[in-house]
Amino acid sequence: MSAPTLTGDDTFARAVARSAELEREIAVAPERFRVLTGDRPTGPLHLGHYFGTLLNRVRLQRAGVDVLVLVADYQVITDRDAAGDLPATVTGLVLDQLAAGLDPGRTTFFCHSAVPALNQLLLPFLSLVSVAELQRNPTVKAETQATGGRPMSGLMLTYPVHQVADILFCGADLVPVGRDQLPHLELTRTIARRFDQRYGPVFGQPEALLSPAPLLLGTDGAKMSKSRGNAIALRDDEDTTARLLRRAVTDAERTITYEPQRRPEVSGLVLLGALCRDEDPVAFADAIGDRGAAGLKAAVTEAVNERLRPLRARRAGLAADPAGVRDLLRRGNARAGELAGATLDRVREAMGMRW
């Protein structure tokens, strides 16, 4: 009798259960774990990043987990012709994270382009995956549909394998992901397994650390995104934040309620305000009552600015010392280079390519 086929819901349920187990293990022995996470430096971090990933990174760091944060500068050019003012964007990205609470004394920041050994792992890993498997990857499929006839770059096609190298080069045990990123981690596990089967044991099997990251809507009612221009950046000043929220999409009902399915735009604003105040969204909506959209926007503006005020002050202080960011990146790049070099040595040894 053949084994039952797992559905996507079954796989996700198992991932949720395992993630809960991992959280319990982290609470007991955080020093056993290493986390790899990161961002593409394509623009300023916003409130979606703050509540979706940054707070979780800070939590893991404070728990005592070894956290590595990748600034994926090479991945900027997967879907665009130019990287823009990359030095300024990278500096801003790091400043946003430091201001949010990440400590360079406990968290390692590094850049793709500064770790050659990491990128060299891409070559043997590509030999372990087929073109068809890459084309089925959700990110690659989405990019194919979004190109509008523009040819896809080879770097975009191999983007999932580059992510595999990001995870495996440093021996990361855990990767914080959302549900839609689980296929990327499964590809990592597949390539690690195939390499070990072909050449001998080198890699472990990294696991997903799922977090209930809230889906924050932007000012236009769509998912908050740097590319849509609907996001409130962490570095925005209070007047800019107020202006962005004044033009946020709502509806004509005067009484404010939290009903995400029926009133997504209003509920998105309610959720944002509630998160900033560490309140239940229903209670936040009830406190506004029948003051309508204007009352809602005023309450959310106050909550956002109050929440971000200390962060913005820290960021301004850090920005006054740009040499500090360059120094912490140099230190982080050096550590990442040592980890990648050791992994590449083991890979070459296993493949019989140490000359």
Side-chain angles (χ1 to χ4, degrees):
M1 181 181 295
S2 61
T5 301
L6 291 177
T7 67
D9 287 342
D10 292 333
T11 301
F12 181 63
R14 290 191 176 190
V16 169
R18 178 55 183 154
S19 186
E21 292 177 5
L22 290 167
E23 290 286 2
R24 290 191 288 271
E25 293 175 23
I26 289 171
V28 174
E31 70 282 354
R32 288 177 41 213
F33 297 97
R34 176 175 293 160
V35 162
L36 185 284
T37 184
D39 310 278
R40 288 205 308 165
T42 55
L45 297 185
H46 53 67
L47 282 168
H49 297 115
Y50 179 74
F51 288 109
T53 60
L54 293 186
L55 289 182
N56 193 42
R57 294 174 191 179
V58 173
R59 177 185 70 87
L60 292 168
Q61 170 197 268
R62 290 175 177 168
V65 175
D66 183 13
V67 179
L68 281 79
V69 178
L70 165 64
V71 180
D73 52 349
Y74 271 151
Q75 290 178 0
V76 173
I77 54 174
T78 54
D79 57 353
R80 60 195 69 200
D81 296 328
D85 187 357
L86 200 54
T89 307
V90 169
T91 298
L93 185 74
V94 174
L95 287 172
D96 288 342
Q97 301 196 63
L98 296 176
L102 287 173
D103 178 355
R106 291 187 286 173
T107 291
T108 300
F109 292 88
F110 68 98
C111 296
H112 259 158
S113 59
V115 190
L118 182 166
N119 298 293
Q120 194 168 340
L121 290 171
L122 190 61
L123 296 176
F125 289 172
L126 282 171
S127 74
L128 299 168
V129 65
S130 70
V131 171
E133 286 176 305
L134 294 177
Q135 290 172 331
R136 288 197 297 269
N137 180 272
T139 299
V140 173
K141 287 173 67 176
E143 177 64 19
T144 301
Q145 295 168 358
T147 54
R150 175 184 174 180
M152 180 190 297
S153 73
L155 187 57
M156 173 53 77
L157 181 64
T158 59
Y159 169 83
V161 184
H162 206 172
Q163 288 192 316
V164 172
D166 297 339
I167 297 167
L168 294 181
F169 94 93
C170 63
D173 312 286
L174 304 175
V175 184
V177 294
R179 180 173 186 165
D180 59 344
Q181 296 166 312
L182 284 173
H184 286 291
L185 189 59
E186 189 52 43
L187 180 63
T188 302
R189 294 167 62 85
T190 297
I191 287 179
R193 187 167 55 249
R194 288 175 182 174
F195 185 95
D196 288 358
Q197 290 170 348
R198 184 175 296 185
Y199 299 110
V202 171
F203 297 108
Q205 291 281 296
E207 299 189 89
L209 193 64
L210 289 165
S211 59
L215 175 61
L216 285 181
L217 300 184
T219 53
D220 61 354
K223 180 181 178 181
M224 193 174 289
S225 166
K226 289 180 286 189
S227 61
R228 291 185 64 93
N230 66 353
I232 298 170
L234 300 182
R235 68 187 71 175
D236 285 341
D237 60 30
E238 297 195 8
D239 288 342
T240 300
T241 299
R243 184 173 66 253
L244 290 170
L245 287 169
R246 277 197 299 269
R247 72 186 193 200
V249 176
T250 55
D251 60 33
E253 292 187 38
R254 185 151 189 84
T255 300
I256 301 303
T257 59
Y258 182 65
E259 300 175 77
Q261 297 301 317
R262 190 175 75 85
R263 306 179 70 186
E265 295 89 354
V266 165
S267 297
L269 287 174
V270 168
L271 177 60
L272 176 56
L275 287 169
C276 288
R277 288 276 172 82
D278 294 318
E279 293 180 6
D280 177 76
V282 173
F284 187 88
D286 288 346
I288 299 167
D290 62 358
R291 289 188 285 137
L296 171 62
K297 292 176 181 181
V300 174
T301 298
E302 181 182 356
V304 170
N305 281 332
E306 182 180 345
R307 179 68 178 245
L308 293 184
R309 197 168 290 131
L311 182 153
R312 288 163 169 166
R314 287 194 299 271
R315 192 185 190 284
L318 291 163
D321 179 24
V325 172
R326 291 193 295 270
D327 184 57
L328 76 87
L329 280 174
R330 277 194 294 268
R331 296 197 308 270
N333 292 338
R335 184 191 179 208
E338 291 174 0
L339 293 170
T343 300
L344 185 59
D345 281 347
R346 291 195 298 273
V347 166
R348 286 171 168 164
E349 183 72 33
M351 297 177 72
M353 292 183 178
R354 290 198 67 176
W355 309 112

